[in-house]
């Protein structure tokens, strides 16, 4: 069974960090409704939703992906590159302790989960504005005992590695080659986004389907021509905060890895869980 850890849209989201998009007013009520539809799509895909404690005063806290990297064996809580986002991690760590042993990235390392693409035992880390080489090194140190190999990759012109590349099957990567060199994903089959849709490389792969923004119809058609099942999920309000589909959840298997001793029988102290229907 899969768990999807999510976090509510903060009413302060209009004060979010922005790097590559211009500020436009975000309709918070609509963002909340779209986030609910996103959670519904996660449930539909077989996930149970767990909620990290909301942080109304942390504008970017809905983008929970950036706060941790969750593997079967261990969760690594990050140290986000934007200082304003570092207070987001404490409650996420508390939530994850119900499911995994939790390790951390420490100063001077910085790492955003949006820069981490896990493909089997290979972990690609985008090094750029938010994640630094030290963050990638620490991630390697935390994950290599479990057989993972970390490969730092250069990202240019976008916020995170997963703005530029995400998996659309265990063997295929959807990629915008203007932002990351597709050749770095050596063993993965590249699917190149439509050139008129540069933001189209972010897809959330969940078993037999990918959750995908309806804003990129030409790339969607490419994916469907390859036989991939695409489920449209509209997060247009959160896109104004530079967030995309993968950013709003941490999806991981339940029941693998060993929770930390303080939570060896899960108490759900830090997370509230709602089951798939
Ligand atoms: C930020 O700049 O940190 C947020 N406004 C957007 C974060 C999006 N997260 C992601 O792509 N993983």
């Amino acid at each position: 069974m899969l768990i999807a850890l999510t976090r509510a849209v903060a009413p302060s989201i209009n004060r979010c960090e922005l790097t590559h998009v211009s500020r436009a007013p975000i309709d918070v009520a609509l963002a909340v409704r779209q986030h609910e539809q996103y959670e519904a799509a996660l449930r539909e895909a077989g996930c149970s939703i767990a909620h990290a404690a909301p942080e109304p005063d942390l504008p970017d806290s809905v983008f929970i992906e950036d706060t941790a990297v969750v593997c079967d064996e261990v969760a690594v809580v990050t140290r986000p590159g934007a200082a304003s986002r570092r207070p987001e991690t404490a409650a996420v760590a508390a939530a994850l302790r119900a499911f995994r042993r939790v390790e951390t990235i420490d100063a001077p390392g910085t790492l955003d989960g949006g820069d981490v693409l896990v493909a089997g035992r290979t972990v690609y880390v985008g090094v750029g504005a938010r994640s630094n080489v030290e963050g990638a090194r620490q991630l390697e140190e935390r994950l290599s005992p479990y057989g993972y190999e970390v490969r730092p990759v250069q990202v240019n012109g976008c916020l995170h590695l997963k703005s530029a590349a995400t998996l659309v099957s265990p063997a295929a990567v959807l990629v915008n080659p203007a932002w990351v060199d597709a050749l770095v994903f050596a063993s993965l089959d590249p699917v190149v986004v439509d050139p008129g849709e540069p933001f189209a490389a972010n897809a959330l792969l969940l078993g037999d389907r990918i959750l995908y923004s309806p804003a990129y119809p030409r790339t969607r058609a490419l994916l469907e021509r390859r036989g991939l099942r695409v489920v449209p999920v509209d997060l247009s309000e959160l896109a104004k905060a530079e967030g995309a589909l993968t950013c709003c959840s941490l999806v991981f298997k339940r029941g693998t890895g060993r929770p930390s001793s303080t939570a060896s029988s899960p108490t759900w102290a830090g997370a509230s869980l709602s089951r798939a229907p």
Side-chain angles (χ1 to χ4, degrees), residues 16-17 60 63 65-66 85 114 130 159-160 241-243 247:
C16 65
E17 297 280 342
D60 283 306
F63 302 121
E65 170 182 61
D66 293 319
R85 300 202 55 192
R130 295 290 177 88
L159 185 59
H160 288 127
E242 225 169 335
C247 314

Side-chain angles (χ1 to χ4, degrees), residues 118-141:
V118 180
R121 296 274 145 182
T122 306
V123 180
Y124 299 96
V125 179
V127 174
R130 295 290 177 88
S131 303
N132 64 15
V133 171
E134 172 61 12
R137 190 200 64 76
Q138 289 185 27
L139 188 66
E140 162 102 62
E141 202 170 78

